[in-house]
């Protein structure tokens, strides 16, 4: 992120029925790269203000859809997020 900001994030994905974890795990590096690209462009207010969880969940869903395919995840839980 710009300046001295950094984001540390851990999420859990609830997979759609009949989707095996390997279907997403094989793309985890590409998904992480895509998230880095989109989240690094967001401002501090977007990452810490009202609606930040929805913003991040949408970015995670977008990254998974783009890299692994659509319809694979049912829900996203933000387990940990620290903006430094």
């Amino acid at each position: 992120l710009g300046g001295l900001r950094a984001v540390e994030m851990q999420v859990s994905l609830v997979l759609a029925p009949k989707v095996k974890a390997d279907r997403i795990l094989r793309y985890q590096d590409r998904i992480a790269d895509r998230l880095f690209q989109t989240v690094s462009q967001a401002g501090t207010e977007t990452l810490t203000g009202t609606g930040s969880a929805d913003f991040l969940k949408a970015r995670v869903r977008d990254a998974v859809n783009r890299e692994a395919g659509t319809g694979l995840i049912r829900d996203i839980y933000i387990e940990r997020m620290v903006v430094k």
Side-chain angles (χ1 to χ4, degrees):
L1 299 174
L4 299 175
R5 292 179 296 153
V7 174
E8 184 179 324
M9 195 167 78
Q10 179 180 350
V11 300
S12 294
L13 305 177
V14 178
L15 303 180
K18 300 183 182 180
V19 173
K20 299 207 183 296
D22 182 57
R23 177 80 193 273
I24 294 174
L25 289 175
R26 68 179 114 172
Y27 297 106
Q28 68 183 356
D29 291 338
R30 289 171 55 178
I31 292 167
D33 287 346
R34 173 101 26 219
L35 280 171
F36 175 78
Q37 290 174 354
T38 57
V39 171
S40 66
Q41 296 171 1
T44 303
E45 180 62 31
T46 303
L47 297 174
T48 59
T50 303
S52 61
D54 291 334
F55 169 80
L56 288 169
K57 287 180 180 185
R59 299 298 76 79
V60 169
R61 186 177 298 279
D62 291 345
V64 171
N65 288 346
R66 185 172 178 120
E67 300 300 334
T70 60
L72 301 177
I73 53 177
R74 190 177 69 201
D75 206 352
I76 301 165
Y77 295 111
I78 299 173
E79 301 289 339
R80 180 171 192 255
M81 184 179 121
V82 178
V83 178
K84 300 176 185 178

